[in-house]
Amino acid sequence: MKNLNKFALVAAMAFAFSACGNDANNTADNAETVPAEEAAPSLGEATVAGYGGDINVKVHFGEDGVIEKVETTHEETEDIGAAAIPELEKAVVEKNGTEGVDNVSGATVTSEAFKTAVDEAITNAK
């Protein structure tokens, strides 16, 4: 009888421990999906007054939320502000935002307006 009780106890413990098993291999059923409203944005847009007129910025995001491209339309001075825009666009893509992007010498107003427009476009995309 003692052996039967020991066997029953061991069997019960084995059953209890196996019920607490890890289901790590079953990831497809437990994979979380991100609702559309929480997914990475694809485009943000904003318009800010620059030195020579409005600066309109479109910020394009990849699926991972990283900035892939910045498109700008503007009315800035041809040789000064307009010349600074491509440099600023490149810097924003490289830094994935405006933090750490320096103003272009001689085009401070354009640089500040551009960075403000990018920041607003990023905010508008979220």
mmCIF file with all atom_site columns, all heavy atoms in Angstrom, residues 62-88:
data_model
loop_
_atom_site.group_PDB
_atom_site.id
_atom_site.type_symbol
_atom_site.label_atom_id
_atom_site.label_alt_id
_atom_site.label_comp_id
_atom_site.label_asym_id
_atom_site.label_entity_id
_atom_site.label_seq_id
_atom_site.pdbx_PDB_ins_code
_atom_site.Cartn_x
_atom_site.Cartn_y
_atom_site.Cartn_z
_atom_site.occupancy
_atom_site.B_iso_or_equiv
_atom_site.pdbx_formal_charge
_atom_site.auth_seq_id
_atom_site.auth_comp_id
_atom_site.auth_asym_id
_atom_site.auth_atom_id
_atom_site.pdbx_PDB_model_num
ATOM 1   N N   . GLY A 1 62 ? 9.448  55.046 -43.041 1.00 0.00 ? 62 GLY A N   1
ATOM 2   C CA  . GLY A 1 62 ? 9.435  53.634 -43.411 1.00 0.00 ? 62 GLY A CA  1
ATOM 3   C C   . GLY A 1 62 ? 8.529  52.871 -42.469 1.00 0.00 ? 62 GLY A C   1
ATOM 4   O O   . GLY A 1 62 ? 7.982  53.422 -41.504 1.00 0.00 ? 62 GLY A O   1
ATOM 5   N N   . GLU A 1 63 ? 8.381  51.580 -42.705 1.00 0.00 ? 63 GLU A N   1
ATOM 6   C CA  . GLU A 1 63 ? 7.524  50.742 -41.864 1.00 0.00 ? 63 GLU A CA  1
ATOM 7   C C   . GLU A 1 63 ? 7.992  50.705 -40.418 1.00 0.00 ? 63 GLU A C   1
ATOM 8   O O   . GLU A 1 63 ? 7.205  50.490 -39.511 1.00 0.00 ? 63 GLU A O   1
ATOM 9   C CB  . GLU A 1 63 ? 7.463  49.322 -42.423 1.00 0.00 ? 63 GLU A CB  1
ATOM 10  C CG  . GLU A 1 63 ? 6.681  49.227 -43.707 1.00 0.00 ? 63 GLU A CG  1
ATOM 11  C CD  . GLU A 1 63 ? 6.607  47.801 -44.226 1.00 0.00 ? 63 GLU A CD  1
ATOM 12  O OE1 . GLU A 1 63 ? 6.907  46.863 -43.468 1.00 0.00 ? 63 GLU A OE1 1
ATOM 13  O OE2 . GLU A 1 63 ? 6.242  47.632 -45.391 1.00 0.00 ? 63 GLU A OE2 1
ATOM 14  N N   . ASP A 1 64 ? 9.282  50.917 -40.198 1.00 0.00 ? 64 ASP A N   1
ATOM 15  C CA  . ASP A 1 64 ? 9.837  50.886 -38.848 1.00 0.00 ? 64 ASP A CA  1
ATOM 16  C C   . ASP A 1 64 ? 9.771  52.248 -38.154 1.00 0.00 ? 64 ASP A C   1
ATOM 17  O O   . ASP A 1 64 ? 10.247 52.403 -37.044 1.00 0.00 ? 64 ASP A O   1
ATOM 18  C CB  . ASP A 1 64 ? 11.279 50.390 -38.881 1.00 0.00 ? 64 ASP A CB  1
ATOM 19  C CG  . ASP A 1 64 ? 12.146 51.172 -39.864 1.00 0.00 ? 64 ASP A CG  1
ATOM 20  O OD1 . ASP A 1 64 ? 11.642 52.109 -40.505 1.00 0.00 ? 64 ASP A OD1 1
ATOM 21  O OD2 . ASP A 1 64 ? 13.330 50.829 -39.991 1.00 0.00 ? 64 ASP A OD2 1
ATOM 22  N N   . GLY A 1 65 ? 9.172  53.252 -38.822 1.00 0.00 ? 65 GLY A N   1
ATOM 23  C CA  . GLY A 1 65 ? 9.040  54.572 -38.228 1.00 0.00 ? 65 GLY A CA  1
ATOM 24  C C   . GLY A 1 65 ? 10.236 55.475 -38.431 1.00 0.00 ? 65 GLY A C   1
ATOM 25  O O   . GLY A 1 65 ? 10.263 56.593 -37.950 1.00 0.00 ? 65 GLY A O   1
ATOM 26  N N   . VAL A 1 66 ? 11.240 55.012 -39.161 1.00 0.00 ? 66 VAL A N   1
ATOM 27  C CA  . VAL A 1 66 ? 12.445 55.796 -39.422 1.00 0.00 ? 66 VAL A CA  1
ATOM 28  C C   . VAL A 1 66 ? 12.185 56.708 -40.628 1.00 0.00 ? 66 VAL A C   1
ATOM 29  O O   . VAL A 1 66 ? 11.547 56.305 -41.599 1.00 0.00 ? 66 VAL A O   1
ATOM 30  C CB  . VAL A 1 66 ? 13.648 54.872 -39.693 1.00 0.00 ? 66 VAL A CB  1
ATOM 31  C CG1 . VAL A 1 66 ? 14.866 55.662 -40.116 1.00 0.00 ? 66 VAL A CG1 1
ATOM 32  C CG2 . VAL A 1 66 ? 13.951 54.042 -38.459 1.00 0.00 ? 66 VAL A CG2 1
ATOM 33  N N   . ILE A 1 67 ? 12.691 57.933 -40.561 1.00 0.00 ? 67 ILE A N   1
ATOM 34  C CA  . ILE A 1 67 ? 12.520 58.880 -41.668 1.00 0.00 ? 67 ILE A CA  1
ATOM 35  C C   . ILE A 1 67 ? 13.327 58.397 -42.860 1.00 0.00 ? 67 ILE A C   1
ATOM 36  O O   . ILE A 1 67 ? 14.528 58.185 -42.767 1.00 0.00 ? 67 ILE A O   1
ATOM 37  C CB  . ILE A 1 67 ? 12.955 60.301 -41.256 1.00 0.00 ? 67 ILE A CB  1
ATOM 38  C CG1 . ILE A 1 67 ? 12.053 60.826 -40.135 1.00 0.00 ? 67 ILE A CG1 1
ATOM 39  C CG2 . ILE A 1 67 ? 12.922 61.239 -42.466 1.00 0.00 ? 67 ILE A CG2 1
ATOM 40  C CD1 . ILE A 1 67 ? 12.499 62.150 -39.548 1.00 0.00 ? 67 ILE A CD1 1
ATOM 41  N N   . GLU A 1 68 ? 12.634 58.221 -43.984 1.00 0.00 ? 68 GLU A N   1
ATOM 42  C CA  . GLU A 1 68 ? 13.294 57.769 -45.206 1.00 0.00 ? 68 GLU A CA  1
ATOM 43  C C   . GLU A 1 68 ? 13.560 58.904 -46.180 1.00 0.00 ? 68 GLU A C   1
ATOM 44  O O   . GLU A 1 68 ? 14.524 58.866 -46.927 1.00 0.00 ? 68 GLU A O   1
ATOM 45  C CB  . GLU A 1 68 ? 12.441 56.706 -45.907 1.00 0.00 ? 68 GLU A CB  1
ATOM 46  C CG  . GLU A 1 68 ? 12.383 55.405 -45.163 1.00 0.00 ? 68 GLU A CG  1
ATOM 47  C CD  . GLU A 1 68 ? 11.644 54.336 -45.933 1.00 0.00 ? 68 GLU A CD  1
ATOM 48  O OE1 . GLU A 1 68 ? 10.866 54.657 -46.862 1.00 0.00 ? 68 GLU A OE1 1
ATOM 49  O OE2 . GLU A 1 68 ? 11.844 53.158 -45.601 1.00 0.00 ? 68 GLU A OE2 1
ATOM 50  N N   . LYS A 1 69 ? 12.669 59.911 -46.188 1.00 0.00 ? 69 LYS A N   1
ATOM 51  C CA  . LYS A 1 69 ? 12.804 60.988 -47.171 1.00 0.00 ? 69 LYS A CA  1
ATOM 52  C C   . LYS A 1 69 ? 12.086 62.225 -46.660 1.00 0.00 ? 69 LYS A C   1
ATOM 53  O O   . LYS A 1 69 ? 11.089 62.136 -45.957 1.00 0.00 ? 69 LYS A O   1
ATOM 54  C CB  . LYS A 1 69 ? 12.185 60.524 -48.496 1.00 0.00 ? 69 LYS A CB  1
ATOM 55  C CG  . LYS A 1 69 ? 12.239 61.543 -49.614 1.00 0.00 ? 69 LYS A CG  1
ATOM 56  C CD  . LYS A 1 69 ? 11.798 60.966 -50.952 1.00 0.00 ? 69 LYS A CD  1
ATOM 57  C CE  . LYS A 1 69 ? 10.310 60.868 -51.054 1.00 0.00 ? 69 LYS A CE  1
ATOM 58  N NZ  . LYS A 1 69 ? 9.819  60.540 -52.403 1.00 0.00 ? 69 LYS A NZ  1
ATOM 59  N N   . VAL A 1 70 ? 12.615 63.401 -47.027 1.00 0.00 ? 70 VAL A N   1
ATOM 60  C CA  . VAL A 1 70 ? 11.969 64.675 -46.728 1.00 0.00 ? 70 VAL A CA  1
ATOM 61  C C   . VAL A 1 70 ? 11.801 65.423 -48.049 1.00 0.00 ? 70 VAL A C   1
ATOM 62  O O   . VAL A 1 70 ? 12.773 65.607 -48.782 1.00 0.00 ? 70 VAL A O   1
ATOM 63  C CB  . VAL A 1 70 ? 12.800 65.521 -45.739 1.00 0.00 ? 70 VAL A CB  1
ATOM 64  C CG1 . VAL A 1 70 ? 12.132 66.862 -45.478 1.00 0.00 ? 70 VAL A CG1 1
ATOM 65  C CG2 . VAL A 1 70 ? 13.026 64.770 -44.436 1.00 0.00 ? 70 VAL A CG2 1
ATOM 66  N N   . GLU A 1 71 ? 10.572 65.821 -48.348 1.00 0.00 ? 71 GLU A N   1
ATOM 67  C CA  . GLU A 1 71 ? 10.282 66.620 -49.542 1.00 0.00 ? 71 GLU A CA  1
ATOM 68  C C   . GLU A 1 71 ? 9.923  68.030 -49.098 1.00 0.00 ? 71 GLU A C   1
ATOM 69  O O   . GLU A 1 71 ? 9.134  68.204 -48.175 1.00 0.00 ? 71 GLU A O   1
ATOM 70  C CB  . GLU A 1 71 ? 9.090  66.052 -50.304 1.00 0.00 ? 71 GLU A CB  1
ATOM 71  C CG  . GLU A 1 71 ? 9.336  64.758 -51.027 1.00 0.00 ? 71 GLU A CG  1
ATOM 72  C CD  . GLU A 1 71 ? 8.081  64.334 -51.759 1.00 0.00 ? 71 GLU A CD  1
ATOM 73  O OE1 . GLU A 1 71 ? 7.877  64.799 -52.898 1.00 0.00 ? 71 GLU A OE1 1
ATOM 74  O OE2 . GLU A 1 71 ? 7.305  63.562 -51.164 1.00 0.00 ? 71 GLU A OE2 1
ATOM 75  N N   . THR A 1 72 ? 10.478 69.019 -49.770 1.00 0.00 ? 72 THR A N   1
ATOM 76  C CA  . THR A 1 72 ? 10.239 70.403 -49.376 1.00 0.00 ? 72 THR A CA  1
ATOM 77  C C   . THR A 1 72 ? 9.872  71.251 -50.583 1.00 0.00 ? 72 THR A C   1
ATOM 78  O O   . THR A 1 72 ? 10.522 71.165 -51.624 1.00 0.00 ? 72 THR A O   1
ATOM 79  C CB  . THR A 1 72 ? 11.507 70.998 -48.725 1.00 0.00 ? 72 THR A CB  1
ATOM 80  O OG1 . THR A 1 72 ? 11.970 70.107 -47.701 1.00 0.00 ? 72 THR A OG1 1
ATOM 81  C CG2 . THR A 1 72 ? 11.228 72.349 -48.117 1.00 0.00 ? 72 THR A CG2 1
ATOM 82  N N   . THR A 1 73 ? 8.832  72.060 -50.404 1.00 0.00 ? 73 THR A N   1
ATOM 83  C CA  . THR A 1 73 ? 8.529  73.114 -51.379 1.00 0.00 ? 73 THR A CA  1
ATOM 84  C C   . THR A 1 73 ? 8.655  74.422 -50.614 1.00 0.00 ? 73 THR A C   1
ATOM 85  O O   . THR A 1 73 ? 8.306  74.502 -49.433 1.00 0.00 ? 73 THR A O   1
ATOM 86  C CB  . THR A 1 73 ? 7.120  72.964 -51.992 1.00 0.00 ? 73 THR A CB  1
ATOM 87  O OG1 . THR A 1 73 ? 6.153  72.931 -50.949 1.00 0.00 ? 73 THR A OG1 1
ATOM 88  C CG2 . THR A 1 73 ? 7.010  71.709 -52.826 1.00 0.00 ? 73 THR A CG2 1
ATOM 89  N N   . HIS A 1 74 ? 9.187  75.442 -51.278 1.00 0.00 ? 74 HIS A N   1
ATOM 90  C CA  . HIS A 1 74 ? 9.482  76.691 -50.569 1.00 0.00 ? 74 HIS A CA  1
ATOM 91  C C   . HIS A 1 74 ? 9.576  77.853 -51.542 1.00 0.00 ? 74 HIS A C   1
ATOM 92  O O   . HIS A 1 74 ? 9.574  77.665 -52.762 1.00 0.00 ? 74 HIS A O   1
ATOM 93  C CB  . HIS A 1 74 ? 10.796 76.555 -49.799 1.00 0.00 ? 74 HIS A CB  1
ATOM 94  C CG  . HIS A 1 74 ? 11.956 76.223 -50.694 1.00 0.00 ? 74 HIS A CG  1
ATOM 95  N ND1 . HIS A 1 74 ? 12.660 77.179 -51.367 1.00 0.00 ? 74 HIS A ND1 1
ATOM 96  C CD2 . HIS A 1 74 ? 12.502 75.030 -51.039 1.00 0.00 ? 74 HIS A CD2 1
ATOM 97  C CE1 . HIS A 1 74 ? 13.602 76.596 -52.091 1.00 0.00 ? 74 HIS A CE1 1
ATOM 98  N NE2 . HIS A 1 74 ? 13.518 75.291 -51.906 1.00 0.00 ? 74 HIS A NE2 1
ATOM 99  N N   . GLU A 1 75 ? 9.683  79.040 -50.968 1.00 0.00 ? 75 GLU A N   1
ATOM 100 C CA  . GLU A 1 75 ? 9.866  80.281 -51.726 1.00 0.00 ? 75 GLU A CA  1
ATOM 101 C C   . GLU A 1 75 ? 11.065 81.049 -51.176 1.00 0.00 ? 75 GLU A C   1
ATOM 102 O O   . GLU A 1 75 ? 11.053 82.277 -51.138 1.00 0.00 ? 75 GLU A O   1
ATOM 103 C CB  . GLU A 1 75 ? 8.594  81.122 -51.634 1.00 0.00 ? 75 GLU A CB  1
ATOM 104 C CG  . GLU A 1 75 ? 7.362  80.426 -52.197 1.00 0.00 ? 75 GLU A CG  1
ATOM 105 C CD  . GLU A 1 75 ? 6.076  81.176 -51.897 1.00 0.00 ? 75 GLU A CD  1
ATOM 106 O OE1 . GLU A 1 75 ? 6.133  82.326 -51.409 1.00 0.00 ? 75 GLU A OE1 1
ATOM 107 O OE2 . GLU A 1 75 ? 5.009  80.594 -52.134 1.00 0.00 ? 75 GLU A OE2 1
ATOM 108 N N   . GLU A 1 76 ? 12.082 80.303 -50.758 1.00 0.00 ? 76 GLU A N   1
ATOM 109 C CA  . GLU A 1 76 ? 13.252 80.921 -50.143 1.00 0.00 ? 76 GLU A CA  1
ATOM 110 C C   . GLU A 1 76 ? 14.166 81.551 -51.196 1.00 0.00 ? 76 GLU A C   1
ATOM 111 O O   . GLU A 1 76 ? 14.107 81.213 -52.375 1.00 0.00 ? 76 GLU A O   1
ATOM 112 C CB  . GLU A 1 76 ? 14.019 79.893 -49.316 1.00 0.00 ? 76 GLU A CB  1
ATOM 113 C CG  . GLU A 1 76 ? 13.238 79.359 -48.135 1.00 0.00 ? 76 GLU A CG  1
ATOM 114 C CD  . GLU A 1 76 ? 12.796 80.442 -47.173 1.00 0.00 ? 76 GLU A CD  1
ATOM 115 O OE1 . GLU A 1 76 ? 13.630 80.940 -46.404 1.00 0.00 ? 76 GLU A OE1 1
ATOM 116 O OE2 . GLU A 1 76 ? 11.597 80.807 -47.204 1.00 0.00 ? 76 GLU A OE2 1
ATOM 117 N N   . THR A 1 77 ? 15.023 82.444 -50.738 1.00 0.00 ? 77 THR A N   1
ATOM 118 C CA  . THR A 1 77 ? 15.975 83.126 -51.604 1.00 0.00 ? 77 THR A CA  1
ATOM 119 C C   . THR A 1 77 ? 16.831 82.093 -52.339 1.00 0.00 ? 77 THR A C   1
ATOM 120 O O   . THR A 1 77 ? 17.381 81.174 -51.729 1.00 0.00 ? 77 THR A O   1
ATOM 121 C CB  . THR A 1 77 ? 16.899 84.039 -50.761 1.00 0.00 ? 77 THR A CB  1
ATOM 122 O OG1 . THR A 1 77 ? 16.086 84.844 -49.924 1.00 0.00 ? 77 THR A OG1 1
ATOM 123 C CG2 . THR A 1 77 ? 17.768 84.899 -51.639 1.00 0.00 ? 77 THR A CG2 1
ATOM 124 N N   . GLU A 1 78 ? 16.963 82.280 -53.652 1.00 0.00 ? 78 GLU A N   1
ATOM 125 C CA  . GLU A 1 78 ? 17.571 81.258 -54.509 1.00 0.00 ? 78 GLU A CA  1
ATOM 126 C C   . GLU A 1 78 ? 18.965 80.826 -54.075 1.00 0.00 ? 78 GLU A C   1
ATOM 127 O O   . GLU A 1 78 ? 19.249 79.644 -53.974 1.00 0.00 ? 78 GLU A O   1
ATOM 128 C CB  . GLU A 1 78 ? 17.612 81.762 -55.954 1.00 0.00 ? 78 GLU A CB  1
ATOM 129 C CG  . GLU A 1 78 ? 18.053 80.708 -56.934 1.00 0.00 ? 78 GLU A CG  1
ATOM 130 C CD  . GLU A 1 78 ? 17.968 81.190 -58.361 1.00 0.00 ? 78 GLU A CD  1
ATOM 131 O OE1 . GLU A 1 78 ? 17.058 81.958 -58.687 1.00 0.00 ? 78 GLU A OE1 1
ATOM 132 O OE2 . GLU A 1 78 ? 18.856 80.793 -59.134 1.00 0.00 ? 78 GLU A OE2 1
ATOM 133 N N   . ASP A 1 79 ? 19.862 81.749 -53.835 1.00 0.00 ? 79 ASP A N   1
ATOM 134 C CA  . ASP A 1 79 ? 21.256 81.391 -53.547 1.00 0.00 ? 79 ASP A CA  1
ATOM 135 C C   . ASP A 1 79 ? 21.538 81.163 -52.065 1.00 0.00 ? 79 ASP A C   1
ATOM 136 O O   . ASP A 1 79 ? 22.627 80.690 -51.728 1.00 0.00 ? 79 ASP A O   1
ATOM 137 C CB  . ASP A 1 79 ? 22.200 82.483 -54.068 1.00 0.00 ? 79 ASP A CB  1
ATOM 138 C CG  . ASP A 1 79 ? 22.214 82.540 -55.584 1.00 0.00 ? 79 ASP A CG  1
ATOM 139 O OD1 . ASP A 1 79 ? 21.955 81.502 -56.219 1.00 0.00 ? 79 ASP A OD1 1
ATOM 140 O OD2 . ASP A 1 79 ? 22.486 83.626 -56.134 1.00 0.00 ? 79 ASP A OD2 1
ATOM 141 N N   . ILE A 1 80 ? 20.605 81.489 -51.189 1.00 0.00 ? 80 ILE A N   1
ATOM 142 C CA  . ILE A 1 80 ? 20.895 81.367 -49.756 1.00 0.00 ? 80 ILE A CA  1
ATOM 143 C C   . ILE A 1 80 ? 19.988 80.307 -49.116 1.00 0.00 ? 80 ILE A C   1
ATOM 144 O O   . ILE A 1 80 ? 20.418 79.199 -48.842 1.00 0.00 ? 80 ILE A O   1
ATOM 145 C CB  . ILE A 1 80 ? 20.759 82.736 -49.044 1.00 0.00 ? 80 ILE A CB  1
ATOM 146 C CG1 . ILE A 1 80 ? 21.707 83.744 -49.688 1.00 0.00 ? 80 ILE A CG1 1
ATOM 147 C CG2 . ILE A 1 80 ? 21.048 82.598 -47.562 1.00 0.00 ? 80 ILE A CG2 1
ATOM 148 C CD1 . ILE A 1 80 ? 21.481 85.172 -49.258 1.00 0.00 ? 80 ILE A CD1 1
ATOM 149 N N   . GLY A 1 81 ? 18.740 80.675 -48.873 1.00 0.00 ? 81 GLY A N   1
ATOM 150 C CA  . GLY A 1 81 ? 17.807 79.737 -48.229 1.00 0.00 ? 81 GLY A CA  1
ATOM 151 C C   . GLY A 1 81 ? 17.543 78.507 -49.067 1.00 0.00 ? 81 GLY A C   1
ATOM 152 O O   . GLY A 1 81 ? 17.539 77.371 -48.560 1.00 0.00 ? 81 GLY A O   1
ATOM 153 N N   . ALA A 1 82 ? 17.324 78.704 -50.368 1.00 0.00 ? 82 ALA A N   1
ATOM 154 C CA  . ALA A 1 82 ? 17.043 77.569 -51.253 1.00 0.00 ? 82 ALA A CA  1
ATOM 155 C C   . ALA A 1 82 ? 18.231 76.619 -51.329 1.00 0.00 ? 82 ALA A C   1
ATOM 156 O O   . ALA A 1 82 ? 18.059 75.403 -51.435 1.00 0.00 ? 82 ALA A O   1
ATOM 157 C CB  . ALA A 1 82 ? 16.673 78.071 -52.649 1.00 0.00 ? 82 ALA A CB  1
ATOM 158 N N   . ALA A 1 83 ? 19.428 77.165 -51.264 1.00 0.00 ? 83 ALA A N   1
ATOM 159 C CA  . ALA A 1 83 ? 20.630 76.328 -51.304 1.00 0.00 ? 83 ALA A CA  1
ATOM 160 C C   . ALA A 1 83 ? 20.791 75.517 -50.018 1.00 0.00 ? 83 ALA A C   1
ATOM 161 O O   . ALA A 1 83 ? 21.411 74.448 -50.029 1.00 0.00 ? 83 ALA A O   1
ATOM 162 C CB  . ALA A 1 83 ? 21.858 77.197 -51.539 1.00 0.00 ? 83 ALA A CB  1
ATOM 163 N N   . ALA A 1 84 ? 20.231 76.007 -48.917 1.00 0.00 ? 84 ALA A N   1
ATOM 164 C CA  . ALA A 1 84 ? 20.360 75.322 -47.629 1.00 0.00 ? 84 ALA A CA  1
ATOM 165 C C   . ALA A 1 84 ? 19.400 74.136 -47.501 1.00 0.00 ? 84 ALA A C   1
ATOM 166 O O   . ALA A 1 84 ? 19.697 73.176 -46.775 1.00 0.00 ? 84 ALA A O   1
ATOM 167 C CB  . ALA A 1 84 ? 20.101 76.310 -46.494 1.00 0.00 ? 84 ALA A CB  1
ATOM 168 N N   . ILE A 1 85 ? 18.274 74.184 -48.197 1.00 0.00 ? 85 ILE A N   1
ATOM 169 C CA  . ILE A 1 85 ? 17.231 73.167 -48.029 1.00 0.00 ? 85 ILE A CA  1
ATOM 170 C C   . ILE A 1 85 ? 17.726 71.742 -48.297 1.00 0.00 ? 85 ILE A C   1
ATOM 171 O O   . ILE A 1 85 ? 17.512 70.858 -47.457 1.00 0.00 ? 85 ILE A O   1
ATOM 172 C CB  . ILE A 1 85 ? 15.992 73.501 -48.899 1.00 0.00 ? 85 ILE A CB  1
ATOM 173 C CG1 . ILE A 1 85 ? 15.349 74.819 -48.445 1.00 0.00 ? 85 ILE A CG1 1
ATOM 174 C CG2 . ILE A 1 85 ? 14.986 72.359 -48.901 1.00 0.00 ? 85 ILE A CG2 1
ATOM 175 C CD1 . ILE A 1 85 ? 14.642 74.801 -47.129 1.00 0.00 ? 85 ILE A CD1 1
ATOM 176 N N   . PRO A 1 86 ? 18.402 71.450 -49.418 1.00 0.00 ? 86 PRO A N   1
ATOM 177 C CA  . PRO A 1 86 ? 18.862 70.067 -49.636 1.00 0.00 ? 86 PRO A CA  1
ATOM 178 C C   . PRO A 1 86 ? 19.807 69.557 -48.544 1.00 0.00 ? 86 PRO A C   1
ATOM 179 O O   . PRO A 1 86 ? 19.742 68.389 -48.147 1.00 0.00 ? 86 PRO A O   1
ATOM 180 C CB  . PRO A 1 86 ? 19.583 70.127 -50.990 1.00 0.00 ? 86 PRO A CB  1
ATOM 181 C CG  . PRO A 1 86 ? 19.013 71.321 -51.673 1.00 0.00 ? 86 PRO A CG  1
ATOM 182 C CD  . PRO A 1 86 ? 18.693 72.298 -50.583 1.00 0.00 ? 86 PRO A CD  1
ATOM 183 N N   . GLU A 1 87 ? 20.657 70.435 -48.051 1.00 0.00 ? 87 GLU A N   1
ATOM 184 C CA  . GLU A 1 87 ? 21.577 70.066 -46.969 1.00 0.00 ? 87 GLU A CA  1
ATOM 185 C C   . GLU A 1 87 ? 20.801 69.727 -45.697 1.00 0.00 ? 87 GLU A C   1
ATOM 186 O O   . GLU A 1 87 ? 21.103 68.757 -44.998 1.00 0.00 ? 87 GLU A O   1
ATOM 187 C CB  . GLU A 1 87 ? 22.542 71.232 -46.713 1.00 0.00 ? 87 GLU A CB  1
ATOM 188 C CG  . GLU A 1 87 ? 23.583 70.958 -45.668 1.00 0.00 ? 87 GLU A CG  1
ATOM 189 C CD  . GLU A 1 87 ? 24.542 72.137 -45.472 1.00 0.00 ? 87 GLU A CD  1
ATOM 190 O OE1 . GLU A 1 87 ? 24.723 72.952 -46.404 1.00 0.00 ? 87 GLU A OE1 1
ATOM 191 O OE2 . GLU A 1 87 ? 25.105 72.227 -44.368 1.00 0.00 ? 87 GLU A OE2 1
ATOM 192 N N   . LEU A 1 88 ? 19.775 70.520 -45.401 1.00 0.00 ? 88 LEU A N   1
ATOM 193 C CA  . LEU A 1 88 ? 18.951 70.282 -44.221 1.00 0.00 ? 88 LEU A CA  1
ATOM 194 C C   . LEU A 1 88 ? 18.135 68.996 -44.361 1.00 0.00 ? 88 LEU A C   1
ATOM 195 O O   . LEU A 1 88 ? 18.014 68.221 -43.405 1.00 0.00 ? 88 LEU A O   1
ATOM 196 C CB  . LEU A 1 88 ? 18.028 71.481 -43.970 1.00 0.00 ? 88 LEU A CB  1
ATOM 197 C CG  . LEU A 1 88 ? 18.730 72.777 -43.564 1.00 0.00 ? 88 LEU A CG  1
ATOM 198 C CD1 . LEU A 1 88 ? 17.789 73.968 -43.695 1.00 0.00 ? 88 LEU A CD1 1
ATOM 199 C CD2 . LEU A 1 88 ? 19.269 72.665 -42.141 1.00 0.00 ? 88 LEU A CD2 1
#
